[in-house]
Amino acid sequence: MREPRDKTRRRFLAAAGAASTTALAGCTSILGGDGSSSDDRPTLADFRGSGEIVSDRPAPGGTSIEDLPDLEGELSIYLGGGEGGRYTTLIDLLNQYYDDFEASAQTQPSSQLANVIVDEHESGTTQADVFWSVDAGSLAYVADNDATLDLSSDATSMVADDRFVTDQWAGVAGRSRAVPYNTNQFSASEIPTSVDGIATDDQFTGSLGWAPTYGAFHGFVTAMRQLRGDDGTREWLNNMLDQNPARYDSEYATVSQGITNGEVGLGLTNHYYPILVFASDPDAPLDLAFTENDAGALVNTAGASVLDGAGDPDLAELFVRHLLSAEAQEFLATRGFAFPMIEGVEPVGPLPTIDELSPPDIDLQSLSDVQPTIELLEDVGILS
């Protein structure tokens, strides 16, 4: 792949394709060890991904599971999304780690679960203890409707960046919007540093792919509405339609089917989809760019909250704290390629840190205002 021209043009090594969910050999105590294990509990090797991209990673910093109180009891989780089963795998690891703990998850899209939670709260029939959402907008919507409990400082202080935590929810896995592109069609220097350039440059006409029905895209457009208003967003959407973009069912499909196969030259997706493609095709003609200070550079987060009506609020909060443990953050960073939310855990391999990106200054709570976005997309003719 071509070399990046600056910090927003990161070359993704073929080694990223080696990162998988296989256990890392040689780590047997929870934060390292000598190859022996005193019990059958999962170790750091089980939490961490494997391959060249993680082979030189040090033991993660932060608070280890060993330093947290034990999880004991039963917990019901409303899981918004699940990231291809990775989140349920993390839940299973915590179930295995604690003999007297059992968490079960009901998985639906985050926006649907947010509406379910609010309806149950209003009727006094809350059915879950924790809401684990893939986006801050759904978390904010539930919190705005008084369906969550305040988190203690024991939980909120674990999150390193105040942008990704409130009194009502804590971010657990960050993600950035990005511009994956086919390196056989474009070079790094040809990718604009703004989404406006993508929407207006003639060289991209007929070469764009997007997934306008996808929740992450709706969050991106909602961020744009907050930054430039409905009229400015409408103008951008109409310009994009003039580019005749190809439609895909998901942003992963935009990358794996569209860009990698050469159907289109570039797209608008979350940052981790290109790395996931490398997991199955290390030789894919694919690279990744980031825009600057606009909605295309939005950094969002998956997060968790304790629901008002939880059967055991203390256990529910302790579970949230476990999602912010060193082991869980290492899991999310090396298996899902997310941006860690705690100090002491770095993004994988070639990924920049959040501090090296140029995200817009936006309150993630505002991303709960999705309905006007849907209406705008319908009015423009992108959604029917």
Side-chain angles (χ1 to χ4, degrees), residues 226-373:
Q226 302 301 323
L227 292 167
R228 62 177 65 179
D230 286 0
D231 290 343
T233 303
R234 181 187 298 272
E235 179 181 4
W236 183 85
L237 291 170
N238 281 321
N239 286 338
M240 281 291 291
L241 286 175
D242 289 342
Q243 295 285 51
N244 192 29
R247 294 171 65 103
Y248 293 89
D249 292 336
S250 72
E251 292 187 348
Y252 180 75
T254 303
V255 178
S256 63
Q257 299 173 22
I259 299 172
T260 304
N261 295 338
E263 298 171 8
V264 295
L266 74 163
L268 301 168
T269 75
N270 286 335
H271 80 272
Y272 47 77
Y273 290 121
I275 313 180
L276 291 172
V277 170
F278 276 122
S280 59
D281 186 6
D283 297 321
L286 187 64
D287 212 334
L288 186 61
F290 297 90
T291 63
E292 300 174 5
N293 300 311
D294 64 12
L298 174 71
V299 178
N300 202 339
T301 183
S305 57
V306 176
L307 297 180
D308 186 18
D312 188 341
D314 291 338
L315 176 61
E317 178 175 297
L318 184 56
F319 177 81
V320 174
R321 292 171 63 190
H322 274 73
L323 296 182
L324 292 165
S325 68
E327 293 81 11
Q329 290 292 291
E330 185 75 355
F331 176 100
L332 294 166
T334 61
R335 294 204 192 195
F337 311 115
F339 292 109
M341 290 284 103
I342 67 171
E343 293 182 356
V345 180
E346 296 296 322
V348 294
L351 274 177
T353 65
I354 291 176
D355 290 340
E356 292 177 298
L357 298 175
S358 301
D361 184 13
I362 189 170
D363 181 3
L364 295 181
Q365 296 279 106
S366 69
L367 300 183
S368 65
D369 189 27
V370 176
Q371 187 56 40
T373 296

Side-chain angles (χ1 to χ4, degrees), residues 95-138:
N95 283 339
Q96 295 169 34
Y97 191 83
Y98 294 107
D99 292 337
D100 298 323
F101 175 68
E102 182 176 357
S104 60
Q106 179 180 332
T107 303
Q108 295 181 33
S110 288
S111 58
Q112 292 183 22
L113 282 176
N115 287 321
V116 168
I117 291 167
V118 170
D119 288 344
E120 290 180 350
H121 172 71
E122 292 177 348
S123 64
T125 59
T126 299
Q127 299 296 304
D129 306 296
V130 170
F131 180 35
W132 184 355
S133 168
V134 297
D135 70 273
S138 294

Side-chain angles (χ1 to χ4, degrees), residues 101-260:
F101 175 68
E102 182 176 357
S104 60
Q106 179 180 332
T107 303
Q108 295 181 33
S110 288
S111 58
Q112 292 183 22
L113 282 176
N115 287 321
V116 168
I117 291 167
V118 170
D119 288 344
E120 290 180 350
H121 172 71
E122 292 177 348
S123 64
T125 59
T126 299
Q127 299 296 304
D129 306 296
V130 170
F131 180 35
W132 184 355
S133 168
V134 297
D135 70 273
S138 294
L139 293 165
Y141 176 77
V142 171
D144 289 345
N145 282 274
D146 300 321
T148 56
L149 299 176
D150 283 350
L151 296 172
S152 74
S153 61
D154 288 338
T156 59
S157 64
M158 297 176 76
V159 180
D161 193 322
D162 289 343
R163 290 176 294 179
F164 306 115
V165 64
T166 72
D167 291 339
Q168 301 286 308
W169 56 265
V172 300
R175 65 179 182 273
S176 173
R177 297 299 291 174
V179 186
Y181 61 95
N182 185 297
T183 55
N184 292 331
Q185 298 186 38
F186 296 106
S187 66
S189 62
E190 292 175 299
I191 308 302
T193 57
S194 75
V195 291
D196 291 317
I198 292 171
T200 57
D201 193 325
D202 290 343
Q203 71 174 323
F204 302 128
T205 303
S207 294
L208 289 169
W210 66 358
T213 63
Y214 206 54
F217 180 80
H218 299 164
F220 153 70
V221 176
T222 301
M224 184 179 290
R225 288 180 43 244
Q226 302 301 323
L227 292 167
R228 62 177 65 179
D230 286 0
D231 290 343
T233 303
R234 181 187 298 272
E235 179 181 4
W236 183 85
L237 291 170
N238 281 321
N239 286 338
M240 281 291 291
L241 286 175
D242 289 342
Q243 295 285 51
N244 192 29
R247 294 171 65 103
Y248 293 89
D249 292 336
S250 72
E251 292 187 348
Y252 180 75
T254 303
V255 178
S256 63
Q257 299 173 22
I259 299 172
T260 304

Side-chain angles (χ1 to χ4, degrees), residues 24-55:
L24 180 69
C27 268
T28 50
S29 70
I30 198 67
L31 284 179
D34 59 3
S36 61
S37 179
S38 60
D39 55 37
D40 295 327
R41 294 189 304 177
T43 67
L44 178 62
D46 300 300
F47 284 91
R48 179 184 265 177
S50 71
E52 184 177 348
I53 200 169
V54 300
S55 61

